[in-house]
Amino acid sequence: MSTKISELSVGDTRESIVVRDLSRTQIVMYAGASGDFNPLHSDEVYSVEVAGYPTVIAHGQLTMGLAAKLFTDWIVDGELTGFGVRFQRQVWPGDTLTATATITAVSDDEGCRVVDLDLVTVNQAGQPVVTGYARLREYN
């Protein structure tokens, strides 16, 4: 269910699964869309034998974008005016990610309502993969 910014209050929380069983195809598609063809994301041999990872890893920006899906699905009349994250751990093919956002502040900016949110995205083991913040401003 989508919500208008005017209906949000400090402490409101939304949780959503933003991707189930992340596929290698999704990771490669993101590489094509972003132009980031670092072999860590698509070359199994390179990722395992050179980088020492157990397999390829998802792009951090892909993980960040998946987390932002929570905001766009939740808040129907907001434009994202601020978004920052810290990558906590790698995201692997097969991961399922759940994002949770909590409203931490509500303010006014030139007659438009603004909400600040804290964000945590965890993998299927409950381990944080991304933490951060966002700011959304009500459309005029």
Side-chain angles (χ1 to χ4, degrees), residues 64-118:
M64 187 176 175
L66 290 168
K69 183 176 183 304
L70 174 68
F71 309 135
T72 58
D73 288 349
W74 181 17
I75 301 171
V76 68
D77 63 343
E79 62 179 328
L80 191 61
T81 59
F83 189 26
V85 300
R86 177 174 291 245
F87 301 109
Q88 303 290 335
R89 59 181 35 88
Q90 290 85 11
V91 173
W92 311 102
D95 277 358
T96 293
L97 304 180
T98 302
T100 303
T102 302
I103 306 291
T104 58
V106 177
S107 59
D108 181 82
D109 180 23
E110 300 178 359
C112 294
R113 195 170 173 134
V114 176
V115 293
D116 293 311
L117 307 96
D118 279 345

Side-chain angles (χ1 to χ4, degrees), residues 26-140:
Q26 289 172 300
I27 294 170
V28 171
M29 288 172 68
Y30 183 81
S34 68
D36 180 352
F37 294 101
N38 185 317
L40 288 172
H41 307 299
S42 58
D43 185 331
E44 181 80 15
V45 173
Y46 180 84
S47 294
V48 173
E49 294 182 10
V50 177
Y53 289 117
T55 187
V56 297
I57 61 174
H59 303 75
Q61 296 298 314
L62 171 59
T63 306
M64 187 176 175
L66 290 168
K69 183 176 183 304
L70 174 68
F71 309 135
T72 58
D73 288 349
W74 181 17
I75 301 171
V76 68
D77 63 343
E79 62 179 328
L80 191 61
T81 59
F83 189 26
V85 300
R86 177 174 291 245
F87 301 109
Q88 303 290 335
R89 59 181 35 88
Q90 290 85 11
V91 173
W92 311 102
D95 277 358
T96 293
L97 304 180
T98 302
T100 303
T102 302
I103 306 291
T104 58
V106 177
S107 59
D108 181 82
D109 180 23
E110 300 178 359
C112 294
R113 195 170 173 134
V114 176
V115 293
D116 293 311
L117 307 96
D118 279 345
L119 169 72
V120 177
T121 302
V122 299
N123 61 20
Q124 65 281 357
Q127 300 168 314
V129 295
V130 168
T131 57
Y133 68 91
R135 173 172 279 186
L136 284 92
R137 184 175 190 268
E138 184 177 39
Y139 292 134
N140 277 330

